[in-house]
Amino acid sequence: MKTGALIVIILLCLGRFCFAEALGQSPAVGDAFPQFAAVDIYGKEINIEKLKGRVVILSIGYFDQSRKQSEDNSAEVKRRDDFYRAYKDKGLEVIRISSKRAVPFFVTKSFVESRARKTCERDNDPWTVIIDWDGSLKELLKMADSPLTFIIDKSGIIRYKKNGYLIVDKEVEELVKKLI
């Protein structure tokens, strides 16, 4: 009887683990951030492994929504960009990864990248911008449709994770100062 109960418990635990894995769980605080390489909107390769030694903030979402949110809250955008500029030379890297979800199938990649570059240049946006054309980064991070922000320490470990776009509040500022 005890052996049968133990087997059932083990099978339930394994089933729960496999089911959770099938659903996909995004990396958590304390996990190593998954390795990836991608090309930014200027054609520069960005490899997360090569950013070890720097504190990395990854803001993942949709370029169109992120820009709209920026237009609606220009004070937060200024604060965020000023924060980045203040810590960039001290070892901070900020990367925005944008899904192509909002791009109609008939719009070309070069057109979208050109518009993204013009928007970033017009707004004097200091961040690195990557467009996740094939959804591989979203899949790697087992991400739902909502935006997500990670802060990764110099050794590649996730130290902060929050649903939503990056907002530089006291918690974020204190953490980055500590990690740098």
Side-chain angles (χ1 to χ4, degrees):
M1 180 78 168
K2 289 182 182 179
T3 306
L6 181 60
I7 290 172
V8 168
I9 290 171
I10 290 171
L11 289 173
L12 286 173
C13 290
L14 284 173
R16 182 169 183 244
F17 173 76
C18 292
F19 183 68
E21 193 60 33
L23 285 177
Q25 292 185 350
S26 182
V29 172
D31 291 348
F33 194 82
Q35 300 303 309
F36 76 86
V39 177
D40 74 5
I41 59 173
Y42 294 98
K44 178 182 173 193
E45 183 180 347
I46 307 299
N47 185 324
I48 197 75
E49 179 70 24
K50 292 180 181 175
L51 292 174
K52 283 191 177 173
R54 296 183 65 82
V55 174
V56 178
I57 297 177
L58 280 173
S59 182
I60 307 159
Y62 307 103
F63 192 77
D64 56 334
Q65 290 176 350
S66 177
R67 297 315 305 167
K68 174 71 175 130
Q69 183 189 40
S70 297
E71 292 164 5
D72 292 346
N73 192 353
S74 60
E76 172 56 32
V77 172
K78 181 175 177 357
R79 177 175 161 71
R80 186 181 60 205
D81 291 350
D82 289 348
F83 174 78
Y84 172 62
R85 286 183 180 101
Y87 288 96
K88 181 180 180 181
D89 293 335
K90 296 177 182 173
L92 178 65
E93 187 69 39
V94 180
I95 300 172
R96 179 172 41 227
I97 298 175
S98 181
S99 170
K100 73 159 199 110
R101 173 188 68 102
V103 179
F105 72 92
F106 55 84
V107 176
T108 66
K109 181 177 176 179
S110 61
F111 176 78
V112 173
E113 287 179 340
S114 172
R115 295 257 339 246
R117 283 191 299 272
K118 286 177 184 174
T119 300
C120 290
E121 290 161 6
R122 179 196 70 212
D123 297 346
N124 196 24
D125 190 340
W127 299 16
T128 298
V129 177
I130 295 170
I131 299 175
D132 185 16
W133 289 106
D134 60 2
S136 60
L137 296 175
K138 182 178 174 183
E139 186 177 312
L140 175 71
L141 299 172
K142 298 177 176 88
M143 227 184 107
D145 278 340
S146 62
L148 194 57
T149 298
F150 292 97
I151 298 179
I152 305 157
D153 71 14
K154 292 178 180 184
S155 62
I157 304 299
I158 299 167
R159 297 300 173 195
Y160 174 94
K161 176 184 175 183
K162 186 172 185 176
N163 285 331
Y165 293 106
L166 174 64
I167 295 177
V168 178
D169 57 14
K170 187 173 178 108
E171 178 186 12
V172 167
E173 193 166 357
E174 299 272 331
L175 179 59
V176 169
K177 284 179 184 177
K178 178 181 160 190
L179 293 175
I180 284 182

